[in-house]
Amino acid sequence: MQYIKRTHTCGELRASDAGKNVTLTGWVDFQRDLGGVIFIVVRDRYGKTQVVFNPQNNLQLHQQAASLRSEDVVSVSGKVNHRPDGMINPNMPTGEIDITAEGLTIITKSDVPPFAVTDDVNASEELRLQYRYLDLRRPALQKNFIIRHQMYQITRKYYDELKFIEVETPILMKSTPEGARDYLVPSRVHHGKFYALPQSPQTYKQLLMVAGMDRYFQIVKCFRDEDLRADRQPEFTQIDVEMSFVDEEDIYQVTEGLMKRFFKEIKGIEIQTPFPRLTYKDAIETYGSDKPDLRFDLKFVTLNDLVQDSGFKVFADVVKKGGVVAGFVVPQCASYSRSQLDNLTDFAKKMGAGGLVWIKITAESVESPIEKFIGKEVLLSIKNKMKANTGDLILLISDSWIKTYTILGNLRLEIGKRLNFLDDSKNSLLWVTDFPMFECDENEKRYVAVHHPFTSPKLEDLPLLDSDPSKARARAYDLVLNGNEIAGGSIRIHDRSLQSKVFGLLGINEVQAKKKFGFLLEAFRYGAPPHGGIAFGFDRICMLLTGEKSIRDVIAFPKTTSAMSLMDDSPSEVDEAQLKELHIKIG
Amino acid sequence: MQYIKRTHTCGELRASDAGKNVTLTGWVDFQRDLGGVIFIVVRDRYGKTQVVFNPQNNLQLHQQAASLRSEDVVSVSGKVNHRPDGMINPNMPTGEIDITAEGLTIITKSDVPPFAVTDDVNASEELRLQYRYLDLRRPALQKNFIIRHQMYQITRKYYDELKFIEVETPILMKSTPEGARDYLVPSRVHHGKFYALPQSPQTYKQLLMVAGMDRYFQIVKCFRDEDLRADRQPEFTQIDVEMSFVDEEDIYQVTEGLMKRFFKEIKGIEIQTPFPRLTYKDAIETYGSDKPDLRFDLKFVTLNDLVQDSGFKVFADVVKKGGVVAGFVVPQCASYSRSQLDNLTDFAKKMGAGGLVWIKITAESVESPIEKFIGKEVLLSIKNKMKANTGDLILLISDSWIKTYTILGNLRLEIGKRLNFLDDSKNSLLWVTDFPMFECDENEKRYVAVHHPFTSPKLEDLPLLDSDPSKARARAYDLVLNGNEIAGGSIRIHDRSLQSKVFGLLGINEVQAKKKFGFLLEAFRYGAPPHGGIAFGFDRICMLLTGEKSIRDVIAFPKTTSAMSLMDDSPSEVDEAQLKELHIKIG
């Protein structure tokens, strides 16, 4: 099909172009026949432009235009005109002009699409994923991918300026399952052997530090074969960073600089650095989360000292068993009705609480169902300690350390939502630091690494590895944006014997360690520099910066929660011959 | 290990820094004890600096320095001094200064490395790949990866400026083997089904054009499970580009701009655009190759008209059977001895020739073993037609069209090497165009696509699809640098019925086409724009720009020709439990 090439894009023409002869190419956004004169709007990635076909100018052209339908691909030529005063569309960058058509080529006819290509699309996500190429034509999604494109460029420019080297690490690597499940790739050449797709380039980036690369970054695909939650994908993108001869402060500084650029260049917002920091312990005890949303306050107060000797046996017992009684003040909610309070209690119970204690601060006094056990005196002390004011509501939970704070954390977020404290115009960034090295895997009755097995303990906690590993803190940190973990990293172990010791604590014996990570331990023999790094969840940051609610809206060809591509129906069956060559059978 | 952080890198200090107190961190490049005073050179990615330990300054420090060995990691502090006149090293950017040590921390001791970390390394490639992290410490390799890093940034900046959008396409995709073998990934969730790793993002980038992305690029990993030749890797990197509403000229122009930048910014060379173009037919008939090396001339001359009626039956028969008699002039080689000529004949025979005819142009006359059959007259006509001069040697081959030219092409390259015509300072870039659509697969007795099944035929050759598909030319083009194909692409089919027809000619019946490429044919229903693109072999371009002979020298963690990683010994065996979860058995 021969056609005239465009002179301009569909987003480009302005009043100052009036009088020019131009050609546009693109999709018919819509066609409207206004009793004789036909208007079409032509759309491409850059915008939309209106074209007018007047039968008095050219009858044949007008008849052609009458046959146009949405999503036909056209090349249309004509003259740029000022629109008459009443017809100017201030909502459209090209709204001051239209084009009087003088030539038209219908390059490709479209069938009627399964849904209209508009931002107020009224189709199920399933249908939109099946016809992803149509969904991606919507201006809202095109905008997301332009922002994603900008994020790539900002990231690389930033690290390039700081003398980081971009290095590609292998996708076909060694299977070293630790944490999540690997995706495996059977080898044709080596019978019965397999590659794995990287869950992260962790070992490679550490080897690059051993190799003296000093500062490395990469925007890289990673893979986890997990049962997917709504905001996870089997393949996802991370910004991967590693630096030599650094400590935490260097990582924080470089990372904060990147976030500053993202906010400045994508959203035009100046964010303040350095970001606030909270230790893991403080984050849990104050906000009940290792990724607290600090766009609103509602801090917790721990009341063990006040309640341990009070007459209320429930609280006293919890404290005696090493548990915690804590709570927070909900401002100006003393007026909550019985059913509102019951509803909150049900919410807390769903989160695993035994119950929820409330105290209303009234003009005269305090009011609580536990008054008869604990006495007004203690309630007033609690009110004072928590700095509650008249009209406020206090919510208290008593349970083990982690349960009390976690349940309060969920309650806090729920209250935040109900009271509209989650202000989308605010951006709260903070570091959470000093994570524990290990947590207990209840199923396997062993320690697992909270961050990963290559994370260094804090120097002052080294003796704890022998005496009480569960108390040892890691040189690990997470970056949190509005309650989302958007990056995480650590200072790594660079000492062979310390690495072996940590493997041992993780239940990886020497034979396994050698088989899985022998190459890394071997590398540590030959002069490993101190090093550390961080990895950012690129998809999630992009989702947050575009204001989307689903990462699928910022991934060109996403998979469903059952790891399928609805567009091309993968994964799919393959030929028997292919499997035979790979020496595998379906079992 | 506590240590003092660096104030400077090892490549940074100059005479103007004399007097400063500095700290460097890095690796001990070497240590030399000059009867009392100890010199060490500290190395990092940025360079090398000499440090002096004088026992008269600090005896304890001097003793510590005596214990240093190559590849130990150190932090060393001291004062920057001008070197005495005779000690200045002009070959070292920091050669005007050294540092008088005042403090030293040995951060990590190194075992004796399996080979010395120097550019004149004397170790097998196998050993170097096993200890890749040590090999990568060599300044020559570090330089390669800095150039590779620059290439990434140049590429993205260039396309970004031209309003291309970078989009990531999936790594876990549908298996559609066509051409090379797919790497497969078993699905855990979907019993008996598989993903494939992309051989290229071809279908995705075309879908992005259907999605209205208009201009797309990506630097992306691709995968082919092929038996590897020396310059291939199972995973490799390509610059992938696709554009809508374009023809060949647009692709050429955008591509030439990128190459111009590469040469300018990496090598400081201004290359001329537009690049010369040769049709596939002309490339074969003139240089015997679809990727001719034009750094030297030696063009072929076809002699069918001169020899078809001559008395020499061998030539006459070849012409009668539709074959070709052709050859080229080797300047000033008429003095070749019998054994030199025999050697060339053997070379030609190894390439599949029945024989090699030579003609020496002497001062008096011509001299050739075929003179007695063909007569001096014809020899002189050949000499004239080929514009041979006194002292030249003419080499002739007679065989089928493709064999004659291919053998001559190999001979031409061999002669070029022997006569030192391959000038590494020259850069010859050209387009080869108008490839055939199809070639015959001798084994399977069917057409296969020369480029790929999505390539558009030339419009004027459309009728040939019905009458004689083997004669149809494609809108396909390759970019060639010094005899290496460095990029290839085509204008694509965007019409559903033409695509179905081409699938049919390739022996893909409707059921198969629907199963494999149904999503693409379906997409073409809804307004596919005309589009085309190109893909660059990133590793190979990097190899050529760094002047390396092996792509393994520009890939951080390459695999061997048997697709193994010697460093971590992958592919490797995996747990039975992993296979069970994936529903596969080794067979």
Side-chain angles (χ1 to χ4, degrees):
Chain A
M1 172 63 65
Q2 300 286 356
Y3 65 93
I4 302 173
K5 284 206 229 172
R6 64 185 163 203
T7 57
H8 295 77
T9 69
C10 296
E12 202 172 355
L13 294 168
R14 297 289 181 275
S16 57
D17 295 302
K20 283 187 189 161
N21 287 304
V22 300
T23 300
L24 304 182
T25 52
W27 287 262
V28 174
D29 198 51
F30 66 81
Q31 186 255 39
R32 199 183 301 154
D33 191 335
L34 289 185
V37 178
I38 293 174
F39 293 88
I40 68 166
V41 167
V42 187
R43 183 189 67 232
D44 66 13
R45 192 187 100 197
Y46 312 93
K48 299 178 182 182
T49 303
Q50 182 166 284
V51 182
V52 184
F53 294 82
N54 194 321
Q56 290 169 344
N57 294 349
N58 185 327
L59 191 60
Q60 202 197 333
L61 205 59
H62 182 267
Q63 281 169 347
Q64 249 191 303
S67 78
L68 287 175
R69 295 293 173 266
S70 291
E71 307 312 320
D72 287 348
V73 181
V74 296
S75 166
V76 57
S77 304
K79 183 164 283 182
V80 182
N81 302 301
H82 286 286
R83 291 200 201 177
D85 269 1
M87 306 285 277
I88 286 173
N89 182 349
N91 300 322
M92 208 169 160
T94 64
E96 290 179 295
I97 57 98
D98 57 23
I99 292 171
T100 307
E102 289 165 7
L104 172 69
T105 306
I106 303 173
I107 303 174
T108 323
K109 281 298 291 177
S110 172
D111 286 4
V112 175
F115 53 86
V117 177
T118 57
D119 282 338
D120 52 350
V121 59
N122 186 14
S124 68
E125 187 177 14
E126 212 168 26
L127 192 68
R128 290 191 290 120
L129 286 175
Q130 192 186 338
Y131 294 93
R132 184 64 171 173
Y133 38 87
L134 292 178
D135 203 30
L136 287 173
R137 269 187 212 161
R138 293 193 294 121
L141 280 195
Q142 300 238 324
K143 191 172 142 271
N144 288 352
F145 287 94
I146 289 169
I147 289 176
R148 189 170 173 123
H149 165 83
Q150 289 171 329
M151 281 180 57
Y152 294 129
Q153 314 316 317
I154 292 165
T155 303
R156 300 208 195 82
K157 183 158 177 286
Y158 178 73
Y159 287 109
D160 177 55
E161 284 170 15
L162 295 177
K163 294 208 185 309
F164 282 74
I165 301 189
E166 182 175 350
V167 181
E168 283 178 87
T169 51
I171 296 290
L172 294 173
M173 65 171 279
K174 189 184 175 77
S175 179
T176 54
E178 182 60 29
R181 250 183 239 105
D182 280 334
Y183 277 105
L184 294 183
V185 182
S187 163
R188 177 178 56 85
V189 183
H190 303 278
H191 188 287
K193 296 193 172 182
F194 293 80
Y195 304 97
L197 305 184
Q199 296 184 27
S200 99
Q202 184 61 35
T203 49
Y204 289 115
K205 69 176 175 175
Q206 294 193 237
L207 290 168
L208 288 173
M209 295 303 102
V210 177
M213 291 290 177
D214 203 66
R215 305 187 132 200
Y216 143 91
F217 83 100
Q218 186 185 194
I219 300 180
V220 63
K221 277 280 177 72
C222 302
F223 305 84
R224 281 184 205 167
D225 186 8
E226 292 300 304
D227 296 315
L228 301 176
R229 302 196 312 246
D231 66 339
R232 291 280 174 92
Q233 286 279 312
E235 58 182 296
F236 55 97
T237 302
Q238 77 185 29
I239 306 173
D240 198 45
V241 173
E242 197 78 6
M243 300 163 74
S244 289
F245 301 110
V246 293
D247 59 24
E248 290 85 338
E249 295 301 325
D250 302 282
I251 310 270
Y252 295 163
Q253 198 193 327
V254 168
T255 302
E256 290 175 0
L258 177 64
M259 297 311 294
K260 222 174 149 66
R261 290 233 183 143
F262 277 156
F263 275 90
K264 175 78 183 163
E265 298 190 23
I266 308 260
K267 297 179 78 99
I269 295 171
E270 284 289 355
I271 53 168
Q272 293 306 310
T273 53
F275 301 155
R277 298 176 194 175
L278 274 177
T279 64
Y280 169 81
K281 184 164 177 288
D282 286 347
I284 297 290
E285 293 185 353
T286 315
Y287 300 104
S289 170
D290 59 1
K291 45 183 183 186
D293 190 333
L294 299 198
R295 282 177 297 176
F296 63 102
D297 204 1
L298 303 192
K299 286 197 189 74
F300 306 159
V301 178
T302 299
L303 304 168
N304 283 18
D305 52 347
L306 280 187
V307 302
Q308 60 191 348
D309 300 323
S310 76
F312 189 36
K313 200 172 163 339
V314 177
F315 283 2
D317 282 356
V318 160
V319 176
K320 209 175 289 164
K321 279 193 234 153
V324 170
V325 179
F328 63 97
V329 174
V330 188
Q332 298 307 305
C333 288
S335 56
Y336 265 24
S337 67
R338 187 77 218 186
S339 85
Q340 280 177 302
L341 291 167
D342 285 350
N343 180 284
L344 283 181
T345 305
D346 287 347
F347 180 87
K349 283 184 174 166
K350 233 179 272 168
M351 296 293 135
L356 175 69
V357 170
W358 53 263
I359 308 169
K360 289 180 172 181
I361 316 297
T362 59
E364 309 77 40
S365 177
V366 290
E367 189 189 320
S368 172
I370 65 167
E371 185 181 341
K372 54 182 173 278
F373 308 112
I374 208 164
K376 180 159 299 204
E377 202 75 4
V378 179
L379 289 183
L380 286 170
S381 310
I382 291 175
K383 174 200 156 191
N384 288 336
K385 177 152 190 180
M386 295 182 79
K387 301 196 175 73
N389 295 313
T390 301
D392 289 350
L393 175 72
I394 290 174
L395 299 177
L396 301 181
I397 296 283
S398 61
D399 209 312
S400 67
W401 184 86
I402 189 68
K403 273 186 79 179
T404 295
Y405 293 119
T406 308
I407 293 163
L408 283 173
N410 284 307
L411 257 176
R412 175 181 174 271
L413 278 182
E414 180 64 18
I415 295 283
K417 266 178 226 159
R418 293 188 185 188
L419 300 182
N420 287 318
F421 287 167
L422 297 167
D423 183 347
D424 278 340
S425 73
K426 280 193 186 167
N427 295 290
S428 149
L429 283 147
L430 82 151
W431 290 105
V432 177
T433 68
D434 293 18
F435 282 84
M437 278 290 283
F438 307 106
E439 61 191 353
C440 229
D441 183 314
E442 296 296 340
N443 293 331
E444 302 196 23
K445 299 279 175 224
R446 66 179 184 100
Y447 288 127
V448 294
V450 170
H451 189 56
H452 58 49
F454 314 108
T455 299
S456 175
K458 287 179 85 94
L459 293 185
E460 62 265 41
D461 288 0
L462 280 176
L464 288 172
L465 295 188
D466 296 316
S467 59
D468 186 356
S470 71
K471 288 217 167 59
R473 291 164 304 164
R475 299 180 72 178
Y477 32 81
D478 278 356
L479 181 62
V480 177
L481 169 59
N482 297 348
N484 298 277
E485 181 204 327
I486 58 170
S490 63
I491 301 299
R492 326 298 183 186
I493 296 167
H494 67 279
D495 177 82
R496 189 179 146 80
S497 62
L498 179 56
Q499 184 65 73
S500 291
K501 182 170 204 162
V502 169
F503 281 152
L505 286 167
L506 292 170
I508 307 173
N509 67 36
E510 261 181 67
V511 176
Q512 290 170 316
K514 201 177 162 200
K515 200 175 151 198
K516 283 182 173 178
F517 301 112
F519 59 101
L520 188 67
L521 292 172
E522 183 72 7
F524 282 176
R525 281 187 195 278
Y526 302 106
H531 60 286
I534 193 163
F536 302 73
F538 192 88
D539 305 306
R540 197 176 295 175
I541 298 176
C542 187
M543 177 187 85
L544 294 170
L545 288 177
T546 55
E548 292 289 354
K549 299 288 176 217
S550 161
I551 53 167
R552 289 186 296 278
D553 286 333
V554 296
I555 294 172
F557 299 101
K559 294 196 172 58
T560 63
T561 45
S562 66
M564 277 186 66
S565 166
L566 298 179
M567 185 182 68
D568 58 15
D569 207 29
S570 72
S572 53
E573 280 156 19
V574 297
D575 294 346
E576 200 54 46
Q578 281 176 280
L579 299 183
K580 204 170 168 190
E581 277 200 307
L582 298 174
H583 326 290
I584 58 171
K585 287 179 187 158
I586 296 168
Chain B
M1 171 63 67
Q2 301 285 356
Y3 66 92
I4 303 174
K5 284 204 230 173
R6 64 185 164 204
T7 57
H8 295 77
T9 69
C10 297
E12 200 172 355
L13 294 168
R14 297 288 180 275
S16 57
D17 296 303
K20 284 187 188 161
N21 287 304
V22 300
T23 300
L24 304 183
T25 52
W27 286 261
V28 174
D29 199 50
F30 66 82
Q31 185 255 37
R32 198 183 301 155
D33 191 335
L34 288 186
V37 178
I38 293 174
F39 293 88
I40 68 165
V41 167
V42 187
R43 183 189 68 233
D44 65 12
R45 192 188 101 196
Y46 312 93
K48 298 178 182 181
T49 302
Q50 182 165 281
V51 182
V52 185
F53 295 82
N54 195 322
Q56 291 169 344
N57 294 350
N58 185 328
L59 192 58
Q60 202 197 333
L61 205 58
H62 181 270
Q63 280 169 345
Q64 248 190 303
S67 79
L68 288 175
R69 295 292 172 268
S70 291
E71 306 313 319
D72 287 348
V73 181
V74 296
S75 166
V76 58
S77 303
K79 182 164 283 182
V80 182
N81 302 301
H82 286 285
R83 291 200 200 177
D85 270 1
M87 306 286 276
I88 286 172
N89 182 347
N91 300 322
M92 206 168 160
T94 65
E96 290 179 297
I97 58 98
D98 57 22
I99 293 171
T100 307
E102 290 164 6
L104 171 69
T105 306
I106 302 174
I107 302 173
T108 322
K109 283 296 293 177
S110 172
D111 285 4
V112 175
F115 52 86
V117 178
T118 57
D119 282 338
D120 52 350
V121 59
N122 187 14
S124 68
E125 187 178 12
E126 212 168 25
L127 192 68
R128 291 191 289 119
L129 285 175
Q130 191 184 339
Y131 295 92
R132 184 65 171 173
Y133 39 86
L134 292 177
D135 203 31
L136 286 173
R137 269 187 212 162
R138 294 192 293 121
L141 279 195
Q142 300 238 324
K143 192 172 140 272
N144 289 352
F145 287 94
I146 288 168
I147 290 175
R148 190 171 171 121
H149 165 82
Q150 290 171 327
M151 280 179 57
Y152 294 129
Q153 315 315 318
I154 292 166
T155 303
R156 301 209 197 81
K157 184 159 178 286
Y158 177 73
Y159 286 110
D160 177 53
E161 284 170 14
L162 295 178
K163 294 209 185 310
F164 282 75
I165 302 189
E166 182 175 350
V167 181
E168 283 179 87
T169 51
I171 296 289
L172 295 172
M173 65 173 277
K174 188 184 177 76
S175 178
T176 54
E178 182 60 29
R181 250 183 238 104
D182 280 335
Y183 276 106
L184 294 183
V185 181
S187 163
R188 177 178 56 84
V189 183
H190 302 278
H191 187 288
K193 296 193 172 182
F194 293 79
Y195 304 98
L197 305 183
Q199 296 185 27
S200 99
Q202 184 61 35
T203 49
Y204 289 115
K205 69 176 174 174
Q206 294 193 238
L207 290 168
L208 288 173
M209 294 303 103
V210 178
M213 291 291 179
D214 203 67
R215 306 187 131 200
Y216 142 92
F217 83 100
Q218 186 184 194
I219 300 180
V220 62
K221 277 278 177 71
C222 302
F223 305 84
R224 281 184 204 168
D225 186 8
E226 292 299 303
D227 296 315
L228 301 175
R229 302 198 308 248
D231 66 339
R232 292 279 174 94
Q233 287 278 313
E235 58 182 296
F236 55 97
T237 303
Q238 78 186 29
I239 306 172
D240 198 45
V241 173
E242 198 78 5
M243 301 164 74
S244 290
F245 301 109
V246 294
D247 59 24
E248 289 85 339
E249 295 301 325
D250 302 282
I251 311 269
Y252 296 163
Q253 196 193 329
V254 168
T255 301
E256 289 175 1
L258 177 65
M259 297 311 294
K260 221 171 149 71
R261 291 235 182 139
F262 277 155
F263 274 89
K264 176 77 184 166
E265 298 190 23
I266 308 257
K267 297 179 78 102
I269 294 171
E270 285 288 355
I271 53 168
Q272 294 306 310
T273 53
F275 302 156
R277 300 176 194 175
L278 273 178
T279 63
Y280 169 81
K281 184 165 177 288
D282 286 347
I284 297 290
E285 293 186 354
T286 315
Y287 300 104
S289 170
D290 59 0
K291 46 182 182 186
D293 190 335
L294 300 198
R295 282 177 296 175
F296 63 103
D297 206 0
L298 304 192
K299 286 198 188 74
F300 306 159
V301 178
T302 299
L303 302 169
N304 283 19
D305 52 346
L306 279 187
V307 301
Q308 61 191 348
D309 300 322
S310 76
F312 189 35
K313 199 173 161 346
V314 177
F315 282 3
D317 283 356
V318 161
V319 175
K320 208 174 292 164
K321 278 192 235 152
V324 169
V325 180
F328 64 96
V329 175
V330 187
Q332 297 306 305
C333 288
S335 56
Y336 265 26
S337 67
R338 188 76 216 184
S339 85
Q340 281 175 301
L341 291 168
D342 285 350
N343 181 284
L344 284 181
T345 305
D346 287 348
F347 179 87
K349 284 183 173 168
K350 232 179 271 166
M351 296 293 134
L356 174 70
V357 169
W358 53 262
I359 308 170
K360 290 179 172 181
I361 315 295
T362 59
E364 308 79 37
S365 178
V366 292
E367 190 188 319
S368 173
I370 65 165
E371 184 181 341
K372 54 181 172 285
F373 308 112
I374 205 163
K376 179 160 300 202
E377 201 74 5
V378 179
L379 289 182
L380 286 170
S381 309
I382 291 175
K383 174 201 156 190
N384 287 337
K385 176 152 191 180
M386 296 182 78
K387 300 196 175 72
N389 296 314
T390 301
D392 289 350
L393 174 71
I394 290 174
L395 299 177
L396 301 181
I397 295 283
S398 60
D399 209 313
S400 67
W401 184 85
I402 190 68
K403 275 186 77 179
T404 294
Y405 293 119
T406 308
I407 294 162
L408 282 174
N410 283 307
L411 256 176
R412 174 181 174 272
L413 278 182
E414 180 64 20
I415 295 282
K417 268 178 223 158
R418 292 187 187 187
L419 300 182
N420 285 319
F421 286 167
L422 298 167
D423 182 348
D424 277 339
S425 73
K426 280 194 187 167
N427 295 291
S428 149
L429 283 146
L430 82 152
W431 290 104
V432 178
T433 68
D434 293 14
F435 282 84
M437 278 290 285
F438 307 106
E439 62 191 354
C440 229
D441 182 314
E442 296 296 341
N443 292 330
E444 302 196 23
K445 300 279 176 224
R446 66 178 184 102
Y447 287 127
V448 293
V450 170
H451 190 56
H452 58 50
F454 314 107
T455 300
S456 176
K458 287 178 86 94
L459 293 185
E460 62 265 40
D461 288 0
L462 280 176
L464 287 170
L465 295 188
D466 296 315
S467 59
D468 186 355
S470 71
K471 287 216 168 60
R473 290 164 305 161
R475 298 180 71 177
Y477 31 80
D478 278 357
L479 181 62
V480 177
L481 170 60
N482 298 347
N484 298 277
E485 181 204 327
I486 57 170
S490 62
I491 301 299
R492 326 297 183 188
I493 297 167
H494 66 279
D495 177 82
R496 191 179 145 79
S497 62
L498 179 56
Q499 185 65 72
S500 291
K501 182 170 205 162
V502 169
F503 281 153
L505 286 166
L506 292 169
I508 306 172
N509 67 37
E510 260 180 66
V511 176
Q512 290 170 316
K514 202 178 161 199
K515 200 174 151 196
K516 283 180 173 178
F517 301 111
F519 60 101
L520 187 68
L521 292 172
E522 183 71 6
F524 282 177
R525 281 188 195 278
Y526 303 106
H531 60 286
I534 193 163
F536 303 72
F538 192 88
D539 306 305
R540 197 176 295 175
I541 297 176
C542 187
M543 176 187 87
L544 294 169
L545 288 177
T546 54
E548 292 289 355
K549 299 289 175 217
S550 161
I551 53 167
R552 289 185 296 279
D553 286 333
V554 296
I555 294 172
F557 299 101
K559 295 197 170 58
T560 64
T561 46
S562 66
M564 277 187 66
S565 166
L566 297 179
M567 184 183 69
D568 58 17
D569 207 28
S570 71
S572 54
E573 281 157 19
V574 297
D575 294 346
E576 200 54 47
Q578 283 176 278
L579 298 183
K580 203 169 169 193
E581 276 200 307
L582 297 174
H583 327 289
I584 58 171
K585 288 177 186 160
I586 296 168

